[in-house]
Amino acid sequence: MRIAFLTAPEGVEEVELTAPWKAVQGAGWNPQLVSTEAGQVQAFDDFDRAGRFTVDHVLAGDTSDAFDALVLPGGVANPDALRTVERAVGFTRSFFTSGKPVAAICHAPWTLVEADVVRGRTLTSWPSLATDIRNAGGTWVDEPVRVCRAGPSTLVTSREPDDLDVFCAAVLREFDRAAQA
């Protein structure tokens, strides 16, 4: 499976990128760092600069056609930047319209809200997004991980870095389930 990890050029929470990336690689799948600009993505550890990661694919009106699933890492600045870039919003939306699985952690559901794909779905996130999710027609729950199959694509969401173990396990299970379908 080829898995897109969509991030802005700056602001992704490093552990929310690297932990699912390692889990996907460990499953024998091919993670690809996708961003809105070429070069490297600057990750953060909370508000401190952390590692830099090389972009594999630059968005230019893309759809989900080249990928089997999508992971949206969080960090406050990352999804806030992505939701202002129509290419990123459209790319995210295309996974839902094509029925491919999507996983989002922490603040990443801001991109889902902007893509108008949370209506009728139940998800979790960093608690400060609860009102945004409700206003977009979704149901917010305070759980370590939530798997929602209320649409054509499975949505896996999680609250924060402390939930990464259960998030990664759910991502692997649900992405594998989609691959077997």
Side-chain angles (χ1 to χ4, degrees):
M1 285 182 63
R2 191 164 187 233
I3 314 297
F5 280 73
L6 177 61
T7 71
E10 185 170 290
V12 65
E13 185 69 23
E14 184 171 53
V15 71
E16 294 176 8
L17 171 64
T18 58
W21 185 283
K22 289 175 186 171
V24 163
Q25 275 186 321
W29 300 330
N30 181 13
Q32 296 285 298
L33 186 57
V34 178
S35 191
T36 57
E37 295 178 16
Q40 292 191 320
V41 166
Q42 174 64 63
F44 280 76
D45 180 3
D46 287 323
F47 296 103
D48 298 322
R49 288 185 183 275
R52 296 182 65 80
F53 301 88
T54 301
V55 172
D56 298 309
H57 184 90
V58 178
L59 286 179
D62 302 71
T63 65
S64 66
D65 292 348
F67 301 97
D68 300 299
L70 172 64
V71 175
L72 296 168
V76 177
N78 177 52
D80 193 46
L82 286 176
R83 67 186 178 159
T84 67
V85 179
E86 182 50 44
R87 296 183 325 269
V89 173
F91 180 71
T92 300
R93 187 181 305 113
S94 73
F95 282 84
F96 287 87
T97 57
S98 64
K100 296 178 181 178
V102 175
I105 186 168
C106 202
H107 288 79
W110 265 339
T111 307
L112 302 176
V113 166
E114 192 65 32
D116 194 25
V117 295
V118 301
R119 188 173 321 281
R121 292 184 171 267
T122 301
L123 58 155
T124 191
S125 67
W126 185 255
S128 66
L129 276 66
T131 299
D132 296 327
I133 290 167
R134 288 184 192 114
N135 287 343
T139 300
W140 185 83
V141 294
D142 185 9
E143 299 173 0
V145 69
R146 176 64 129 177
V147 176
C148 181
R149 296 187 186 99
S153 63
T154 298
L155 175 60
V156 180
T157 53
S158 194
R159 300 176 301 195
E160 60 181 285
D162 287 345
D163 300 330
L164 276 165
D165 288 344
V166 294
F167 177 68
C168 290
V171 166
L172 293 180
R173 183 179 62 250
E174 296 303 321
F175 285 11
D176 187 57
R177 184 173 182 259
Q180 303 304 317

